[in-house]
Structure formats: C-alpha cells, structure tokens
Amino acid sequence: MPRPQTPAGPEDTSGNAATEAEEIPGTAPSASGPEEAPRRGERAGTPATPASREPADRNAEDAYPAPPRPRRRRAGAWPALPLLVALALWTYALGHTDVSQLDDFGLVSAVHPAFWAGLALLTGGFWSTVRAPHRAQGWPAAYVVGLLLMERATQALVYPTPLYAWAWKHDAVVGHLLTAGGLQSEAEIGDMSVYDQWPGFFAAQAALVRLLGVDNTAMYMAWWPLVSSLMLLLPLLLIYRTFTTDRRLIWTAVWLFYAANWVGQDYFSPQSVAFALHLGVLAVVLRRYGGRPGRPRTAVWTVLLTALLTTIVVTHQLTPGMLVVSLLALCLARRYRDWAPAATAVVLFLAWCLTAALPFLSAAMPDMIRSIGDIGGNVETGYGATPTGTGAIATSWAARLLSGSVLLLAALGVLRRPVLRRRALPLLLIAAAPLPMFVASSYGSEMIFRVLMFMLPGAAFFAGAALLPRGRTLSAGLTARETAGRPAVPHPLRPRLPGLAYGVWVPLLALLAGTLAFVPAYSGKDRINYFPPAEVALVRDLFDRAPAGSLVVAANRNYPLAYEAYGSVDHYWFLEDGRDHVDRIVRSPAATLARDMSAVEPPGRAYLLLTRGQVADSEMNGRLDGAQLERVRRSVAASPRFRPVAENSAGTVWVLEPAAGPVEGASR
C-alpha cells in the first residue's frame, strides 16, 4: 500500500514517528510535494511495500554509510582537545604578532607562526569531528565559531585601530546623521546624499550609538566583521537544512562558506547587514513558501517576509536587485512557483527607487545604461588596478584560486551527486542567479566580487557534497532491510562519473588548503587597510583645525576619517583625475597642486595631506610608485606656497598660503 509522502522543507514537528528518510543519516524528507491523504481503505502509517516506495526512493538523497555505534559509552568530550589547543595557539600568536611594520604581504607575514599551526589543527579537528556520525551537533558548531574567531577577530585584536577607509567613511556618515539630526539632499551635502537616500543601516547605527552611550561607531566597528559573520550562521543553517538532514554536509558547507568568503563585505557597511537579510529572506521562502502554488500562508510569515524585504530595500542599492533575480530564478522550480515573494520585492524596490532614491538614480542612470551589456568591461573593472609587488600579486592570486577552487568543487558536486542535484535544484538556481548581473553594471568596479559573494551560499553546499564520499542511497538501505533473506533482484546499471579515491586525507587537505588560503585573500592587503594611531591622530588634527568651506587634497581616499565633516569640508583626490593631469602633478608637483587648490575662498583654507596609507594604496595598486610620491612630497615641502601645520611618523599636513604669505615652521 503506498505510504503518504511528507513535504520537503521544514522538519515534521507533529510528534509522529520519524519517516523512513530520517532513519538513515544523510537523507532529507521527500521532495515529492505536499502531503497526500491515505487512499480509501488504507490506514495511515501502514508500511509500504518495496514496489510502492520506489518512486520516492529515486528522489532520495545519497546517504553516507554510518559506522556502528560503539558498544560502550566513550568519553564524548575529546573534540574539545584540538579546539582548545588551536585557540591556545591562536591566543599565543596574538600576543607575539607585531603589526608596526607591515610589508606587502600584510598580516600573512606579520602573524606569529603559531597562528598557522592553530588554524591547521582547528581544521583537522573539525574534519575529524564532523565525520563522526553520532557526534553531538554542538561540536561542529563550536569549531565553526572557533574558525570565525581566528578569521574575523584576529584583526580586531592585533590592530589598535579599525581597518578599511570605507568603514571610516561609514562612521562619518553616522556621525553626520547624528549632527544634522535628519536626512539631507544633494543640494546640501553633494554626492554624499546617496547615503541619506538609503539610510536604513546608518539610522540604525545612529540609534545604537545613542543607546550604548559611545562617542561614535569607531568604538565598536573593528568587531563588525565577526558580528556580521555570526549573523549569517542561522540563515545558512536553515537554508541547508531545507535540502538535507545530514549534519556532515550541512556543517562542511558552512565551513566552506566562511573559508571562501574573502570578498570582505563583512566590514562595517550596509552590505554586511543587507546580505544577512538576503539570506534570511531566502530561508523563509525556501522553508515556508514551497509546495503547492496558492497554498495559504500564516500571517506571521507574510509579515516577517515583508519586514525583511523592506529593510533590505532601504538599506542597500544592490542587494534588492540580487534578491529579485534570486527569487525569480527560484520560481523556475515547480515547488517554488509562488510569485508573491518576487512580486513583493519588485514592488517595494521600485517604490523606493521612484521616491526616496530618485535623485541618485536620475544622476546615475546614464552611466548605468551605458554599462548594460558590456560584460567584458563590467568584469574587467573589478581588476582595473594592476597589483604591483610580490605580496600584492600573491594576494590577488590566492583570492582568485580560492574562489575558483570552490566553484570547481561545486561543479564536481553537482555532477557526482545527481540525486542531490535534483533535490537541491532550488539552491542551484539561487547560486546561478547572480551571474546575469554581469550584464547589468560594473557597480563601481565591484560587480565581479559581489556576484561571487552572492553565489557562495549555494556553491559552498555543492562543494561540501563533493568533499564528502558518495555512499549508499536511501533506496539501497530500505531494499536491504526489506529483502533480507530473499534473493537480490539486479537493478539496471546507470552511467556514473568515475569515482575519486576518497578517504580521510584528500578531503581534509582540500579543506585545509582553502582555510589557509583565506588568510592571504582576506588579510593580505592590510598594509593598505590598516591605519596606525599616528595616522588617525594626524588626520583628526587636520579636521579639528579646518574651518568650514575648506578643501582637503590628498593622493587618494585611503586614509582614516577621509570623510570627516563632509557637510562643511570639500575633498579632492588627485590620483582620480585624468592621466594627463596626474602626469603634470608628477612633473611639477608644487606648482600644479597650488593652482588646483587656489580657488578656496576665506575663511576656508586649502590643505594637502600625504600619509603612509595613501602611499601603500598607490604602490600596491600600480598607480604611482614610492619614488614618484616622494618627489611630490619633497617638492611641496620645498615650496614657499605650502606651510606644514602638522606632521608625525605617519605623514604630513600642509596648508596653502597666499602668494605673498609668510612661511612659518611646522607645529608637531
């Protein structure tokens, strides 16, 4: 008699006995559709015959063979040993790492060797723990948290100031919002009004600053990469559990996701929160909107989905577009052909773009239209700057090889696991959905990195499947039990890809290589991203003395507090000018810069700022080398038109004097 099938998605919480699919490790509930009532004359729960189970078994996920349970209870706390030793090595490395003289390899060459030993031990302990079929699920979670501490908290602990010029920029936006007391237009603050047109993240941070009673977000933004990474854990687990109950696959996919998420959008930024909300929307849709189209939803899930979508729309420009294409791709799967989530996202996004964000879109639309269809240009701009120096080149290749390896593993997992491919087809569609965005825009030279980031949750799942061995299927397990004592009936042979010599070491080495490669991919450019306390103090002194209406000139934007007081102080970064003008500055630095800065009207003043962070960014990205920037510095220092007003080990600040003005000494 055919047995009623359970719907795919969330686990059955009705209190009934576990289904056959849940009795064998590595299997998820059937994906055949909504639950069907027993046929007339049948009793619910009647065991099904082998013939009646066969259609459902064809959709069953591969299960990994589980070794027998031990006869006697052994100590279950041994996984704590490699975890604690790894964290102890990490703690020791933190106390013996000197970041005062970073080279082109960034944190890679600065960190103590004990860090690498701890990371390798952590990876080995995780792999040993996650492969044990009866190990408590809390241990893989503990190892993942340990990985996040070593990956994302190391920089917060070894660097005395927060990283990334863009994080400092966002701190300035929050500070301006607190000072201004409300949103402002382009006529009031110029191009920076774009942040007031997507104010969700900044308004929330302004409220948090007041709630915590701190001076600014710089008090905690160094820890934001760890916080934002932890925010991704719950939606990732919900998404992966939609397609499998095998905790080995789930946690291996989570580990690969974090090890390959080097793009760096976890820093203090709207994207970090919007990405977590993006995964939250996908988790809700996958777990609550699957099944028969038109199936009624409870009000709580509708309200939650609408709240998540609204928050994403008012927080970030790109994420709503990525979410729309993901939801539309999801509709290609029959089980998720519910247009309500996609339609809601489109309506909310268009409504915001045509109202609050209309000024920005009106100005940016011509460039956006020109970039449509320019796939080569949109991809190439992501690597528009040419890395120079051994460290910069090695870092760039480590990042590319890490992403390429995960994508290749994902393709291998899709090919080797046809049953999983069918079951997790929605996740495969979501992973491929961001690819068309290459056609749409370069997104300020970052589209290739954003596409990789949005593809990663799905790619990590199938990459994890590639690392785990292909074992018996659910149907094989059921048939073995049901036909015990009866002659075996041969099944038709199916063509399969050649198997790999899987064991313990091959997947472990692959996992270890990816985990170690994360460090140079993520932290290899810390010479650019780190600003020592002297540099922060120098720039803060500049903005403390600059009156309203002043102009700050610098080589590029790579310095802390670069957007401080942007409501009253203008900025000019000369390396962003055309190549001809940059060449004129290099040939005759003081005279050319003096002409560029001479239009400032009193009481404003024109300041020139050169710091170590600007030099590092220019050198490592192949713009001007150290000798050319030193030529600029010496020319300005020798010119009577420039007077130094602040100087320390991190750089110098000059003010432009009137043509006949006196020349005074520097204050240090």
Side-chain angles (χ1 to χ4, degrees):
M1 306 286 286
R3 179 175 181 171
Q5 300 176 3
T6 57
E11 292 75 22
D12 185 7
T13 57
S14 60
N16 297 331
T19 64
E20 293 286 341
E22 293 168 336
E23 291 176 3
I24 294 184
T27 59
S30 170
S32 55
E35 186 175 358
E36 301 173 359
R39 294 180 181 177
R40 186 175 301 175
E42 295 180 358
R43 293 199 311 268
T46 303
T49 64
S52 63
R53 282 199 184 104
E54 187 175 353
D57 294 343
R58 291 197 187 102
N59 292 328
E61 176 188 344
D62 284 351
Y64 310 125
R69 292 179 182 271
R71 293 183 178 179
R72 60 181 181 178
R73 187 177 183 84
R74 298 178 181 176
W78 78 261
L81 181 60
L83 176 61
L84 293 176
V85 173
L87 293 179
L89 289 171
W90 173 59
T91 304
Y92 178 84
L94 294 179
H96 294 78
T97 296
D98 181 13
V99 296
S100 60
Q101 298 294 329
L102 291 176
D103 59 19
D104 284 357
F105 289 91
L107 190 63
V108 177
S109 59
V111 73
H112 191 274
F115 173 85
W116 301 102
L119 193 57
L121 181 61
L122 186 78
T123 307
F126 167 79
W127 182 244
S128 176
T129 301
V130 81
R131 291 181 72 252
H134 307 304
R135 190 75 60 198
Q137 188 158 323
W139 287 117
Y143 273 92
V144 167
V145 173
L147 176 68
L148 291 179
L149 287 173
M150 295 187 72
E151 282 186 344
R152 265 76 180 185
T154 298
Q155 292 170 314
L157 291 169
V158 300
Y159 294 121
T161 57
L163 299 181
Y164 302 112
W166 284 93
W168 288 92
K169 177 181 182 179
H170 296 152
D171 170 65
V173 174
V174 175
H176 179 80
L177 187 60
L178 287 168
T179 302
L183 306 179
Q184 292 184 301
S185 65
E186 184 177 5
E188 296 171 296
I189 54 176
D191 293 341
M192 293 296 290
S193 64
V194 63
Y195 295 98
D196 290 53
Q197 294 169 32
W198 274 277
F201 173 80
F202 305 106
Q205 294 302 322
L208 184 60
V209 166
R210 289 178 173 171
L211 179 65
L212 296 177
V214 296
D215 294 334
N216 48 49
T217 61
M219 305 297 293
Y220 59 82
M221 70 183 184
W223 292 94
W224 198 257
L226 177 63
V227 173
S228 62
S229 296
L230 288 171
M231 289 167 55
L232 303 176
L233 184 56
L234 178 59
L236 276 176
L237 291 174
L238 292 175
I239 290 172
Y240 293 157
R241 284 181 60 83
T242 304
F243 303 106
T244 183
T245 57
D246 189 320
R247 66 179 185 84
R248 286 167 283 195
L249 177 54
I250 292 171
W251 286 108
T252 302
V254 169
W255 184 282
L256 283 172
F257 171 84
Y258 283 124
N261 190 20
W262 61 268
V263 172
Q265 293 303 316
D266 54 1
Y267 74 102
F268 185 73
S269 64
Q271 176 72 92
S272 64
V273 174
F275 186 52
L277 297 174
H278 169 89
L279 294 182
V281 169
L282 294 180
V284 170
V285 173
L286 288 171
R287 297 180 67 85
R288 295 297 174 181
Y289 282 75
R292 186 180 297 112
R295 179 179 173 185
R297 315 290 172 205
T298 58
V300 64
W301 296 112
T302 302
V303 172
L304 176 61
L305 186 65
T306 304
L308 291 174
L309 290 171
T310 303
T311 306
I312 292 173
V313 165
V314 303
T315 298
H316 195 243
Q317 305 99 314
L318 179 65
T319 306
M322 289 289 191
L323 183 58
V324 167
V325 297
S326 297
L327 294 175
L328 290 175
L330 199 57
C331 292
L332 298 177
R334 183 173 59 182
R335 286 182 53 224
Y336 294 96
R337 200 161 293 165
D338 190 329
W339 297 92
T344 304
V346 170
V347 169
L348 290 173
F349 189 34
L350 288 178
W352 187 261
C353 289
L354 296 176
T355 53
L358 186 59
F360 168 77
L361 292 176
S362 300
M365 191 60 67
D367 290 336
M368 294 171 64
I369 293 175
R370 279 193 296 269
S371 66
I372 293 177
D374 185 13
I375 300 177
N378 294 342
V379 173
E380 183 182 2
T381 51
Y383 296 103
T386 304
T388 56
T390 305
I393 294 173
T395 294
S396 177
W397 277 107
R400 299 182 192 192
L401 291 174
L402 178 56
S403 293
S405 299
V406 171
L407 294 178
L408 287 175
L409 278 176
L412 179 62
V414 170
L415 294 174
R416 292 185 68 248
R417 303 289 296 279
V419 175
L420 186 64
R421 180 176 68 234
R422 291 192 295 270
R423 177 179 297 280
L425 175 63
L427 192 55
L428 186 60
L429 293 173
I430 290 174
L435 288 173
M437 298 301 287
F438 283 134
V439 180
S441 171
S442 68
Y443 195 68
S445 304
E446 293 187 1
M447 183 58 75
I448 186 172
F449 306 119
R450 305 303 175 96
V451 167
L452 286 172
M453 182 179 69
F454 280 93
M455 291 179 65
L456 188 55
F461 181 80
F462 289 100
L467 288 181
L468 293 167
R470 185 171 53 190
R472 62 180 180 175
T473 61
L474 172 61
S475 56
L478 293 175
T479 303
R481 289 186 303 195
E482 293 167 352
T483 62
R486 289 183 288 172
V489 179
H491 290 277
L493 297 177
R494 298 178 182 175
R496 308 188 78 172
L497 292 174
L500 297 179
Y502 274 95
V504 176
W505 298 107
V506 172
L508 173 59
L509 291 176
L511 204 66
L512 181 60
T515 304
L516 296 179
F518 171 86
V519 181
Y522 186 77
S523 305
K525 292 187 176 181
D526 281 3
R527 183 190 165 209
I528 295 177
N529 298 323
Y530 167 55
F531 309 112
E535 189 166 357
V536 176
L538 179 71
V539 181
R540 195 179 301 279
D541 179 83
L542 164 62
F543 284 103
D544 286 344
R545 70 172 66 239
S550 294
L551 171 68
V552 173
V553 178
N556 51 51
R557 308 169 189 239
N558 195 58
Y559 53 94
L561 302 162
Y563 290 83
E564 192 75 5
Y566 63 80
S568 59
V569 175
D570 291 330
H571 299 81
Y572 166 55
W573 301 284
F574 60 79
L575 289 184
E576 296 183 5
D577 254 342
R579 187 67 199 183
D580 291 342
H581 190 70
V582 174
D583 290 340
R584 283 197 297 272
I585 292 176
V586 173
R587 286 194 302 268
S588 181
T592 306
L593 288 172
R595 270 196 311 272
D596 293 341
M597 300 166 61
S598 60
V600 178
E601 298 181 357
R605 304 296 300 272
Y607 298 90
L608 175 64
L609 171 69
L610 290 179
T611 63
R612 56 151 302 282
Q614 298 173 50
V615 175
D617 182 86
S618 179
E619 284 186 333
M620 293 185 67
N621 286 319
R623 294 184 174 94
L624 294 183
D625 58 32
Q628 291 171 312
L629 290 172
E630 178 63 16
R631 174 184 172 85
V632 172
R633 190 195 68 80
R634 289 181 178 179
S635 175
V636 170
S639 172
R641 294 294 310 274
F642 290 92
R643 175 172 59 91
V645 294
E647 185 177 8
N648 61 27
S649 60
T652 308
V653 178
W654 294 271
V655 65
L656 180 68
E657 295 284 19
V663 178
E664 301 178 7
S667 62
R668 297 179 184 267

